[in-house]
Amino acid sequence: MALIVLKFGGSSVKDREHIFNAARIIGRWRNEGNDVVTVVSAQGDTTDDLIEKAGEITHDPSKREMDMLLSTGEQISAALLAMALETLGCPAISLTGRQAGFQTDRTYMSARIRMLDTERIESELSRNRVVVVTGFQGVNQYDDITTLGRGGSDTSAVAIAAALHAERCCIYTDVDGVYTADPRLVPNARRLDEITFDEMLELATLGAQVLNSRSVELAKKYSVCLEVRSSLTDKPGTIVKEVTDVEGMLIKGVTKDKNVAVINVLEVPDVPGASFKIFSLMAQKNINVDVILQSSGKPDCKDVIFTVPEPDADTAVSVLTEYLPRFGGRSVSVDKNVAKVSVVGAGMQSHSGIASRMFEALYESNINIRMISTSEIKISVLIAESEADRAVQALHDAFLS
Ligand code: ASP
Ligand code: MG
């Protein structure tokens, strides 16, 4: 008998009808002779609604209390799904993150899983029950509830699949797989049959919203076979795994991320340690720096220009401004009207000319590139935010049509 982990996203359990639909999917896997552990997200927009409720009370809620609040969303869907399964004659039990054995570090609202003690899950499975686990949550060393950060239920599901050596982890959502671009934006985007962990990780980090990037990291680390598929059709979805057909597509996807801001620190003295001072400030504030550009403008001076997530931009500017006299720069400024557009594909490791084709397509659309960054399997450009959608379509046409 194989063990399967099924995760249902918020849209797949948003109301009574969807909950029963999920229960029937679980029932089918069971009837095929599998043991099933299910992980659920909060129903529909519940998590957003809970955040809004907190905002009605205070603008600066404690993170501990936020986790206490946000974790309730998943408890609702887990209990309801277990009830639906029982109604359909399928023995089931719901478990909170704590009951399911999720121990995390102490970081409220973006905790990392430290350990997963699967004893309770396994004992429930041995009693022939479907186990329904609340995604997104665990407890820290103080026995306080923590959450794993937005979209964290994917990670909960992969962690269970890894710990129990599940045959597969199916992520049920409202799209039928991973697409070459956001289909709402690019009408001729195509569904991929398979994609590698590395490609998926780049896509997830670069703005494709289908899978949480930490879950992909974890799946890669423990070789968990992932499938992204729709809860509304019976069709197989996209398989995410270590290697895919090497002769396949060169480029797997085009993404955009509008959630970036460019920070300009101008006329910093051109001496050893200047960059260190700037970026250690960012590190102290836990700000992730992405693309970095250092250019020499005037003699003995350099400009240090880099990108940060947009929500961190104001903090970055204020701390840099405060310490500007210490590292001797002239000015700090920010531009939030930028977007990062990227093409991703493992095929670019063994093929040349991808960059030039990318820049040509942008040139033909008259889109100006402000910054460029690359990894082995992706090329990203920073452009004006207002041109991001056009850029995605142009790049999709160039590589994927
Ligand atoms: N409910 C949480 C969120 O919306 C976790 C999840 O859905 O994965 O972020
Ligand atoms: Mg999600």
Side-chain angles (χ1 to χ4, degrees):
M1 201 145 107
L3 175 79
I4 305 286
V5 175
L6 309 177
K7 183 253 169 179
F8 291 90
S11 55
S12 300
V13 290
K14 67 179 176 197
D15 53 23
R16 175 185 179 280
E17 198 184 316
H18 284 80
I19 286 177
F20 273 105
N21 178 58
R24 281 189 290 270
I25 292 173
I26 295 167
R28 279 203 292 276
W29 282 100
R30 280 256 306 185
N31 292 341
E32 284 165 19
N34 302 292
D35 274 340
V36 180
V37 178
T38 301
V39 173
V40 284
S41 287
Q43 292 185 281
D45 296 327
T46 303
T47 307
D48 292 327
D49 296 344
L50 290 170
I51 292 171
E52 213 178 296
K53 269 190 195 302
E56 289 167 12
I57 305 292
T58 165
H59 290 304
D60 189 22
S62 108
K63 291 187 168 181
R64 180 191 181 279
E65 299 309 332
M66 281 307 286
D67 279 353
M68 188 76 173
L69 178 69
L70 298 187
S71 62
T72 61
E74 273 69 14
Q75 280 195 51
I76 296 173
S77 31
L80 292 176
L81 181 57
M83 289 176 199
L85 284 162
E86 290 278 348
T87 310
L88 298 181
C90 174
I93 183 168
S94 65
L95 299 177
T96 63
R98 182 176 195 271
Q99 291 172 318
F102 278 92
Q103 290 174 27
T104 72
D105 66 9
R106 58 214 259 184
T107 332
Y108 298 105
M109 295 184 79
S110 57
R112 281 183 176 263
I113 301 166
R114 284 261 175 270
M115 216 208 33
L116 177 55
D117 175 357
T118 55
E119 200 185 312
R120 177 73 188 270
I121 296 181
E122 288 181 275
S123 98
E124 298 298 346
L125 286 173
S126 71
R127 298 166 75 181
N128 203 27
R129 289 169 159 168
V130 168
V131 185
V132 185
V133 179
T134 53
F136 177 55
Q137 56 176 263
V139 287
N140 63 18
Q141 68 260 49
Y142 314 119
D143 207 23
D144 281 344
I145 297 175
T146 51
T147 64
L148 307 181
R150 297 306 304 268
S153 298
D154 294 343
T155 311
S156 311
V158 173
I160 293 176
L164 295 176
H165 306 288
E167 192 172 279
R168 184 170 292 194
C169 180
C170 299
I171 308 284
Y172 281 96
T173 175
D174 55 356
V175 292
D176 58 1
V178 181
Y179 275 71
T180 50
D182 184 345
R184 289 167 300 188
L185 197 70
V186 179
N188 53 344
R190 282 182 283 147
R191 193 184 61 83
L192 297 161
D193 290 332
E194 2 177 273
I195 184 167
T196 68
F197 288 127
D198 290 330
E199 290 169 329
M200 190 63 234
L201 199 55
E202 291 283 9
L203 289 179
T205 319
L206 294 167
Q209 274 160 7
V210 53
L211 275 179
N212 177 284
S213 56
R214 260 198 217 168
S215 72
V216 184
E217 264 170 36
L218 205 61
K220 178 179 164 67
K221 185 166 170 192
Y222 294 101
S223 300
V224 173
C225 177
L226 275 178
E227 181 182 7
V228 178
R229 56 188 291 174
S230 166
S231 58
L232 302 174
T233 70
D234 229 4
K235 286 188 293 187
T238 302
I239 302 281
V240 192
K241 56 185 192 178
E242 188 59 42
V243 278
T244 60
D245 178 9
V246 278
E247 291 305 314
M249 303 154 68
L250 214 51
I251 296 298
K252 293 285 180 63
V254 183
T255 59
K256 70 159 188 211
D257 182 2
K258 293 190 171 175
N259 197 25
V260 285
V262 174
I263 308 284
N264 305 287
V265 188
L266 301 184
E267 294 184 23
V268 179
D270 195 7
V271 293
S275 298
F276 165 66
K277 284 175 194 155
I278 292 174
F279 293 114
S280 68
L281 286 173
M282 298 298 99
Q284 275 165 35
K285 293 283 171 191
N286 265 321
I287 297 175
N288 266 329
V289 172
D290 185 26
V291 188
I292 301 175
L293 203 88
Q294 198 179 284
S295 61
S296 48
K298 298 188 175 171
D300 306 326
C301 278
K302 60 188 171 191
D303 298 336
V304 180
I305 300 169
F306 56 95
T307 65
V308 298
E310 201 167 306
D312 293 331
D314 293 338
T315 312
V317 171
S318 73
V319 65
L320 286 166
T321 309
E322 186 186 336
Y323 285 89
L324 196 64
R326 200 191 280 188
F327 54 80
R330 185 172 66 85
S331 68
V332 177
S333 64
V334 58
D335 182 359
K336 295 180 182 173
N337 295 320
V338 291
K340 186 163 73 168
V341 171
S342 315
V343 299
V344 174
M348 68 176 75
Q349 288 176 106
S350 50
H351 287 77
S352 56
I354 305 288
S356 93
R357 238 162 98 198
M358 177 175 189
F359 303 151
E360 182 184 19
L362 294 170
Y363 163 61
E364 279 171 354
S365 302
N366 199 25
I367 293 170
N368 190 35
I369 301 171
R370 296 190 32 185
M371 292 164 98
I372 299 168
S373 80
T374 63
S375 79
E376 280 178 350
I377 63 164
K378 73 126 203 260
I379 305 171
S380 300
V381 292
L382 257 101
I383 59 173
E385 190 169 304
S386 56
E387 294 184 321
D389 291 355
R390 225 157 46 79
V392 171
Q393 182 70 63
L395 293 172
H396 196 272
D397 289 345
F399 288 107
L400 287 153
S401 290

